[in-house]
Amino acid sequence: MAYVQLTSTCFSEAIGTHGLDRTRYEIALAKTKSAISSLKSGHSDGSLPFLCFPEAHDDIQHLWDIASSYQENFDDVVILGIGGSSLGGRTLVSLAESKINLHTKKPKLHFFDNIDPHSLDNLLRYLIAPRTGFLVISKSGETAETVVQFLICFQAAKEKFGDKAHEHFTVIVQPGKSVMRQRAEALDIPIFDHHPKIGGRYSAFSLVGLLPAMIAGLNPETIRKGAAEVLMPILDCASPEFIEPAIGAAISFALATENQVKTTVLMSYSDRLESFGLWFRQLWAESLGKKGKGTTPVNALGAVDQHSQLQLYLDGPRDKMFTLILLACAEKGPRVASSWA
């Protein structure tokens, strides 16, 4: 995974008084050393188990077995889950190639995370079909929205497929007593364990995110390798100025505390990264919004939101930090024929 992080336009020498003072940034960057040390320790002693997934391999073959079964048996796969049980996997699936390989046709994945009656009606009308599979994800097994989705969909499948309804479902839930696990066991539905010490929003590199991605045709080893490359400087005890996440954290913290920048806008210039913006929003808000602290995350999509938000961004209050994600897409895509010029 290769990317370049450019931060020069955050500073006062580039944009004037609304920019960040370089000295204040250096002070904030130095403070990240303790956080970097904590992350390294959490990886070493296993207290932050989500940091160990990028280097894990022993679970991949088991996941391939499940993914291959879904690819072989289903044309549509419905993922029922909400929050971290949906957003990480949805982000990864959005990166899959949409081209159909006639020799390895992949199912179409549908993420349902809400309990809106209209959406559920459409799900039951169009997706309760012989070649539709369901993947139900809830860490606690008590998430009300997901439990309701699961029971409604299983009831509809039972009415249509009778005693074979359980063959269309797989449940991912942490070990222990829960409504989801009890119902799945009673209905003879396969159950796979959600890691009990990993929160939903940090589970993208576990089976929670990787299984949907693999069903969609992505390589889990490549995904984890990219994550490992980002994590490597932290584990190698690199200095903060060589760790991109530390640099970004220092800029965000310093802008919030020194310049009163209380909103952070992530604007991706790629349709495939729209789901990433939603996942980012959850990660940022749930992780940092504590004890009266935190900044408000806003997800945006370019170039669409240049025509809906840019007026505020350019001519509104100077209280926002902007992160733009640009892909190397020059000379790609269709062109207007020269005859139309």
Side-chain angles (χ1 to χ4, degrees):
M1 185 175 79
Y3 71 97
V4 177
Q5 179 173 282
L6 303 176
T7 61
S8 59
T9 53
C10 296
F11 297 99
S12 56
E13 62 259 32
I15 60 174
T17 57
H18 294 291
L20 178 61
D21 178 77
R22 180 71 65 169
T23 301
R24 297 295 183 182
Y25 160 71
E26 296 291 348
I27 294 172
L29 186 63
K31 291 180 179 180
T32 66
K33 291 181 179 180
S34 61
I36 293 169
S37 178
S38 295
L39 289 173
K40 180 175 173 57
S41 296
H43 172 271
S44 299
D45 62 20
S47 60
L48 294 176
F50 69 92
L51 294 178
C52 299
F53 273 115
E55 62 197 32
H57 303 282
D58 55 357
D59 60 331
I60 294 297
Q61 184 55 55
H62 177 56
L63 294 180
W64 272 128
D65 294 340
I66 306 169
S68 297
S69 175
Y70 267 78
Q71 291 174 345
E72 181 179 339
N73 294 305
F74 303 121
D75 295 326
D76 293 275
V77 176
V78 177
I79 291 88
L80 302 178
I82 197 168
S85 297
S86 171
L87 293 172
R90 182 184 298 195
T91 296
L92 295 178
V93 168
S94 296
L95 302 177
E97 290 289 343
S98 60
K99 297 177 182 178
I100 295 177
N101 184 325
L102 296 179
H103 300 289
T104 58
K105 184 179 179 181
K106 307 300 187 300
K108 183 176 182 181
L109 275 67
H110 311 266
F111 288 84
F112 282 84
D113 50 10
N114 214 344
I115 52 173
D116 179 271
H118 178 75
S119 298
L120 285 175
D121 281 342
N122 282 336
L123 188 162
L124 299 178
R125 185 177 296 116
Y126 300 113
L127 288 174
I128 302 295
R131 288 187 58 81
T132 296
F134 290 82
L135 183 59
V136 187
I137 306 172
S138 171
K139 177 182 184 291
S140 68
E142 302 285 350
T143 309
E145 295 89 347
T146 307
V147 170
V148 168
Q149 289 177 327
F150 166 49
L151 296 177
I152 287 174
C153 289
F154 189 86
Q155 176 180 303
K158 182 74 172 178
E159 292 172 357
K160 196 155 190 175
F161 309 126
D163 293 339
K164 293 189 175 182
H166 67 281
E167 297 177 0
H168 293 254
F169 286 79
T170 298
V171 165
I172 296 175
V173 62
Q174 71 179 2
K177 184 178 179 181
S178 67
V179 172
M180 184 78 74
R181 183 173 284 270
Q182 288 178 319
R183 294 306 301 160
E185 289 175 346
L187 297 169
D188 198 26
I189 293 172
I191 301 172
F192 298 99
D193 290 339
H194 190 300
H195 197 300
K197 294 184 179 180
I198 295 180
R201 65 186 182 275
Y202 302 125
S203 62
F205 300 122
S206 73
L207 79 169
V208 172
L210 286 191
L211 187 52
M214 293 166 70
I215 294 171
L218 289 171
N219 187 325
E221 298 279 6
T222 301
I223 293 171
R224 284 182 172 174
K225 180 181 177 182
E229 289 177 359
V230 175
L231 185 60
M232 188 181 303
I234 293 174
L235 302 183
D236 288 345
C237 297
S239 183
E241 61 264 30
F242 300 110
I243 301 176
E244 281 86 352
I247 294 169
I251 290 173
S252 178
F253 175 79
L255 282 173
T257 56
E258 301 296 333
N259 295 44
Q260 300 306 304
V261 173
K262 300 299 185 181
T263 301
T264 183
V265 179
L266 181 79
M267 193 166 187
S268 302
Y269 280 79
S270 169
D271 289 344
R272 288 180 295 159
L273 293 177
E274 184 172 12
S275 294
F276 174 69
L278 297 172
W279 186 32
F280 155 80
R281 186 177 66 179
Q282 184 214 15
L283 287 167
W284 193 276
E286 288 200 350
S287 301
L288 302 180
K290 301 177 186 296
K291 299 179 180 180
K293 297 180 180 180
T295 55
T296 301
V298 175
N299 56 297
L301 181 67
V304 174
D305 285 322
Q306 290 183 193
H307 297 267
S308 63
Q309 300 291 306
L310 203 60
Q311 177 64 41
L312 173 66
Y313 293 164
L314 292 180
D315 206 29
R318 301 286 183 168
D319 59 354
K320 303 171 190 65
M321 170 183 167
F322 299 92
T323 300
L324 307 183
I325 301 180
L326 309 174
L327 302 185
C329 54
E331 304 298 325
K332 296 181 179 180
R335 299 187 179 192
V336 176
S338 57
S339 59
W340 289 95

